[in-house]
Amino acid sequence: MKKRTITLAFALIALFAVLPRVSSQNSRKIQADIKTNTVSSPDGRIKLYFSTSWMGEPFYKVTVDGKPFINESGLGVSYGGSAPTGHSVDRVQYRWEQKELWEQPWGENKRNLSYYNEMKVTLLCGVATYETIYFRVFNDGFAIRYTYDVDNAVQVPVIEDNTSFMFAENGTAWWQPADADTYELEYKTTPLDKVEHANTPMTVKFDSGLYASIHEAALYNFPEMTLMRHPSDSLLFVASLSETVKGVSNIKASVNAYFETPWRTVQIGRKAVDLINSSLILNLNEPSRIEDTSWIRPMKYIGIWWGMHLGINSWTNDGRHGATTSEAKRYIDFAARHKIDAVLVEGWNEGWETWGNTQKFCYTCPYPDFDIKEVSEYAARKGVKIIGHHETGGNIRAYESSMDTAMTWYGKYGIDCIKTGYAGGIPGNFTHHGQYLVNHYQKVVETAAEHKVMLDVHEPVKDTGIRRTWPNMMTREGGRGMEWNAWSSGNAPSHTVILPYTALLAGPMDYNPGIFDILYENTRNLPQRKKWNANDTGDSRVNTTLAKQIANWVILYSPWQMAADLIDNYEGHPAFRFFEEFDPDCDVSRAVAGEIGEYIVMVRKAGDRYFLGASTDETAREIALPLSFLEKGRQYRATIYADGEKADWKTNPTDYRIMEKGVSASDTLQVKMASGGGQAIIFVPVAGK
Ligand code: NOJ
Ligand code: CA
């Protein structure tokens, strides 16, 4: 197996420097430069030019460090009805220098700096229709949003988003085929000019070495955007809106006469990890609409979950039922003993017999062997939260008519955390990512906020940073998570070192890491095991080492972080101490090294402790890691969860070792990872400095 040695030449200076107090809302109006219609990033490195063609069509182009990055590319939205033709620039209104340090109740970083210049161009289309284009240019990328004020209309049928991206050079792209129903697909790594139709975020390393990721922010009342490569122009990508109903009409959305689109975003970095360290998506979202956020909290959880995916339990009450009163109590006891905040219970309610069929779930009807009153009272006595579960199977109408009652009913039992699910087709042929479903997901978020309920959404629409505005929207799946390893050929070792540079740029993911029985040795041959998923060929496993599972608790950010294995596989396991000690409520996060699809080193600070997670694809690596992110002049005890000498994801996945070391910010650690492996470290300051 190939082995790489990497030395991090750069110093990780001031990564965790204390940011000043939030106060600085500094908006300075600066003179528009009408001649050039240009707006630059505050550091001047990214420049965006706006103009109109001789036919009056608006376009933009972008340079980075003086070199072409995006050549002349289209702008705007096309809509039906009596859409006027011909545009003229009415005014290039403002360019702003906006600097704001803002706080959020939870997140990778509790404080974020939003710093950009803005150019606002208003076009007159026809006689009385106005199109306004907002360009915001940050040091770490740029974003474009449109608002329309359509004359003589009440409702406007949106046909397509015409934003395009004419990249100036080729590169390597990490992308997922666009699918309006699922994001649970493997990533493809291809030359940019070989991408077909991609979901976002799509991430690219350009031949010049620049990195970028294309996505969107603040998606409301609109379909998701995907990226379609132009059939004859290999580096031209055009936005494509997902359909509301499959194959029925060319109308992608229906909006009011005054409407605004989500932001179309391009994050730009000189290093791959710059993309992860960017808060651009959140910065483009509005501040919290929930005033009192004291009830919203990050958590660690376990759950009655993996047993069903492995096929040793079932969601239905069929003699192999997972969600029984006694099993829930056993999980609650384990959580209480191991410093775990919550227990997820799936399969507690009637209707699972109809999953994949009529999808008739009852959200207030526990199965007879699950006494919700007894379980919730027991949990409360032990100081453990219950995460309730609303699997809809895609039956949106039924869920919308019962969710309010269902949340009130959960409230009676003190349950204010809900995992939702949309595993199934939507009746009426609605897609999962079209306008109708975007609005549905939002309705659930807002209803939950009214009930002071926090959410974890599976089979969601992708994150676009709405958690800033709705911080009860904790986490979501939106990718191929751990479940795939239970009943399919699974996720390749590279998958979890692609995710942080792609899907996770959009927001947290409830991946469900932490499987210790990697080869299912304790369950594979149990007599009650039944195949339940068509993808199951009987030889599933997790394609990982044990240390990498631990590292993924740090790397794959979710404010609700799960230890996904059966508790029996954790009981008495020395490496489980990492999860006990782990704090999901981090204050600051930094990706300190990595390359897309190859490896990543992530550091998160919570209180005065630091958690480090490093992981690699199939290539074994050794990284010389300067510990300059630690507080200077302080001594730390590092507890290192490393791959064992003979570890290898394929042949020896469970070989691991735990080491202790005294370290300080001036030290450099050798982080050694096996093929498909990883490493996790907790740094605890030694008392008395
Ligand atoms: C798919 C979800 O991703 C998984 O976590 C859940 O257990 C099943 N659906 C059943 O709801
Ligand atoms: Ca799923």
Side-chain angles (χ1 to χ4, degrees):
M1 188 49 64
K2 250 197 322 181
K3 187 170 174 178
R4 296 254 179 88
T5 301
I6 300 150
T7 305
L8 297 183
F10 56 91
L12 305 169
I13 299 165
L15 283 182
F16 297 89
V18 180
L19 294 167
R21 291 271 344 135
V22 174
S23 65
S24 50
Q25 171 96 8
N26 165 19
S27 299
R28 185 161 62 86
K29 197 170 173 181
I30 52 178
Q31 199 55 49
D33 183 349
I34 307 283
K35 276 196 302 277
T36 56
N37 291 338
T38 303
V39 60
S40 309
S41 54
D43 66 4
R45 298 180 76 171
I46 304 174
K47 281 195 163 51
L48 186 148
Y49 306 81
F50 166 81
S51 193
T52 51
S53 70
W54 62 274
M55 284 177 72
E57 284 154 351
F59 67 84
Y60 75 104
K61 62 179 189 171
V62 177
T63 61
V64 178
D65 292 331
K67 292 191 218 96
F69 171 59
I70 290 180
N71 291 330
E72 283 78 359
S73 298
L75 292 161
V77 164
S78 55
Y79 50 89
S82 52
T85 49
H87 302 74
S88 59
V89 177
D90 189 54
R91 52 199 182 278
V92 178
Q93 220 171 344
Y94 299 115
R95 292 161 73 196
W96 300 86
E97 190 179 81
Q98 176 84 25
K99 196 173 195 177
E100 186 197 356
L101 192 58
W102 57 274
E103 278 186 18
Q104 53 184 349
W106 59 266
E108 298 91 320
N109 296 290
K110 293 259 172 67
R111 290 181 190 174
N112 295 281
L113 179 68
S114 177
Y115 188 22
Y116 59 87
N117 290 321
E118 181 180 278
M119 172 166 64
K120 178 180 171 188
V121 179
T122 303
L123 299 151
L124 179 60
C125 322
V127 186
T129 289
Y130 286 95
E131 172 186 357
T132 301
I133 312 177
Y134 294 82
F135 299 97
R136 284 191 185 168
V137 188
F138 300 74
N139 291 341
D140 54 353
F142 67 91
I144 303 169
R145 159 180 269 178
Y146 314 103
T147 65
Y148 282 85
D149 199 348
V150 180
D151 187 35
N152 256 332
V154 181
Q155 279 300 107
V156 176
V158 172
I159 309 291
E160 197 49 278
D161 184 326
N162 300 322
T163 311
S164 65
F165 306 87
M166 176 76 235
F167 294 109
E169 58 172 340
N170 206 354
T172 303
W174 287 265
W175 61 285
Q176 204 185 54
D179 186 319
D181 270 324
T182 183
Y183 305 118
E184 297 189 25
L185 302 167
E186 285 169 319
Y187 277 86
K188 290 176 184 274
T189 308
T190 69
L192 179 61
D193 64 2
K194 294 287 178 297
V195 172
E196 289 147 22
H197 183 190
N199 178 37
T200 74
M202 176 178 88
T203 302
V204 184
K205 180 179 184 183
F206 290 94
D207 291 344
S208 61
L210 201 68
Y211 295 84
S213 187
I214 299 93
H215 187 48
E216 59 183 312
L219 169 59
Y220 296 102
N221 193 27
F222 221 65
E224 71 165 353
M225 177 191 81
T226 60
L227 292 169
M228 184 98 81
R229 194 170 58 78
H230 195 273
S232 57
D233 209 333
S234 59
L235 294 178
L236 173 61
F237 285 77
V238 291
S240 170
L241 300 173
S242 286
E243 296 174 307
T244 298
V245 180
K246 282 174 222 161
V248 165
S249 91
N250 65 346
I251 296 170
K252 301 288 182 54
S254 176
V255 291
N256 291 333
Y258 174 83
F259 69 96
E260 70 178 6
T261 67
W263 292 94
R264 279 65 188 90
T265 62
V266 180
Q267 285 164 278
I268 298 172
R270 277 94 198 155
K271 300 194 294 282
V273 292
D274 291 346
L275 301 177
I276 300 173
N277 295 329
S278 154
S279 309
L280 185 134
I281 303 291
L282 284 174
N283 285 336
L284 290 161
N285 277 271
E286 297 299 317
S288 178
R289 295 270 293 273
I290 303 175
E291 235 164 79
D292 169 20
T293 56
S294 57
W295 51 277
I296 302 177
R297 279 200 309 277
M299 297 189 308
K300 291 186 287 190
Y301 76 100
I302 50 174
I304 298 180
W305 180 76
W306 191 231
M308 278 86 92
H309 284 276
L310 288 177
I312 59 165
N313 294 120
S314 75
W315 283 275
T316 54
N317 188 10
D318 67 350
R320 299 181 310 126
H321 194 200
T324 62
T325 304
S326 59
E327 187 66 347
K329 284 178 157 180
R330 201 167 75 88
Y331 269 71
I332 292 165
D333 285 340
F334 183 90
R337 276 201 314 274
H338 294 274
K339 302 197 245 178
I340 294 166
D341 307 283
V343 173
L344 162 74
V345 185
E346 286 200 6
W348 63 272
N349 59 325
E350 287 175 8
W352 283 89
E353 312 69 38
T354 71
W355 189 28
N357 189 354
T358 53
Q359 320 278 31
K360 288 211 171 88
F361 293 90
C362 174
Y363 302 105
T364 52
C365 312
Y367 281 123
D369 57 351
F370 184 75
D371 186 333
I372 192 159
K373 185 167 182 294
E374 190 179 331
V375 170
S376 56
E377 285 175 0
Y378 189 77
R381 277 203 302 282
K382 297 269 176 164
V384 172
K385 270 184 179 286
I386 296 293
I387 302 179
H389 189 221
H390 286 166
E391 175 57 68
T392 68
N395 194 342
I396 303 309
R397 291 221 176 95
Y399 188 50
E400 286 191 4
S401 62
S402 34
M403 66 183 172
D404 194 55
T405 319
M407 288 183 196
T408 307
W409 186 81
Y410 260 158
K412 278 200 329 208
Y413 299 104
I415 297 172
D416 65 352
C417 305
I418 302 179
K419 170 176 171 178
T420 58
Y422 297 85
I426 317 288
N429 251 347
F430 288 104
T431 65
H432 277 72
H433 312 149
Q435 185 193 24
Y436 180 69
L437 262 282
V438 167
N439 287 341
H440 165 77
Y441 291 118
Q442 187 57 26
K443 240 180 257 172
V444 181
V445 171
E446 293 183 26
T447 307
E450 280 163 26
H451 287 267
K452 294 200 167 171
V453 161
M454 296 171 264
L455 288 175
D456 166 9
V457 182
H458 277 232
E459 297 80 37
V461 70
K462 63 193 176 185
D463 198 357
T464 55
I466 67 154
R467 62 192 160 121
R468 177 174 177 191
T469 314
W470 299 98
N472 64 319
M473 182 54 249
M474 307 302 291
T475 188
R476 64 183 85 203
E477 188 190 41
R480 223 172 129 104
M482 181 62 78
E483 60 180 348
W484 284 82
N485 294 315
W487 36 254
S488 78
S489 53
N491 301 334
S494 59
H495 182 61
T496 49
V497 283
I498 294 175
L499 284 175
Y501 303 96
T502 50
L504 272 96
L505 297 179
M509 178 176 178
D510 187 36
Y511 184 89
N512 314 128
I515 300 303
F516 279 15
D517 181 15
I518 291 165
L519 303 176
Y520 313 148
E521 286 163 319
N522 300 332
T523 50
R524 193 180 290 284
N525 298 319
L526 289 179
Q528 72 266 35
R529 183 173 186 276
K530 267 197 199 152
K531 168 176 163 164
W532 67 276
N533 191 298
N535 294 312
D536 186 353
T537 49
D539 53 359
S540 299
R541 55 161 294 180
V542 192
N543 302 319
T544 181
T545 66
L546 187 106
K548 184 173 179 173
Q549 286 302 295
I550 299 169
N552 278 343
W553 280 323
V554 182
I555 296 167
L556 302 175
Y557 177 70
S558 176
W560 288 1
Q561 191 54 287
M562 185 183 201
D565 210 340
L566 306 173
I567 53 174
D568 314 81
N569 294 329
Y570 295 137
E571 197 70 80
H573 199 302
F576 194 62
R577 212 181 90 207
F578 186 93
F579 196 69
E580 291 178 330
E581 300 301 318
F582 181 62
D583 186 348
D585 189 9
C586 56
D587 302 314
V588 185
S589 299
R590 284 292 179 276
V592 295
E595 282 298 338
I596 308 168
E598 295 181 10
Y599 73 104
I600 185 163
V601 184
M602 181 65 94
V603 180
R604 303 194 195 276
K605 184 178 188 217
D608 58 1
R609 294 183 301 160
Y610 294 80
F611 298 92
L612 180 146
S615 76
T616 179
D617 59 358
E618 282 91 345
T619 305
R621 291 169 210 272
E622 190 165 339
I623 299 175
L625 185 74
L627 301 182
S628 49
F629 53 82
L630 297 172
E631 205 181 301
K632 310 266 168 301
R634 220 164 173 184
Q635 288 299 313
Y636 289 83
R637 193 188 70 245
T639 308
I640 303 168
Y641 296 73
D643 287 322
E645 283 301 329
K646 300 209 169 72
D648 180 298
W649 76 272
K650 224 179 214 164
T651 56
N652 197 4
T654 52
D655 183 23
Y656 77 98
R657 59 202 174 119
I658 303 176
M659 298 166 284
E660 298 244 334
K661 238 186 179 162
V663 296
S664 72
S666 53
D667 291 328
T668 293
L669 262 192
Q670 290 300 123
V671 176
K672 203 173 161 197
M673 298 181 282
S675 164
Q679 187 167 127
I681 308 176
I682 306 181
F683 298 92
V684 182
V686 177
K689 283 215 161 188

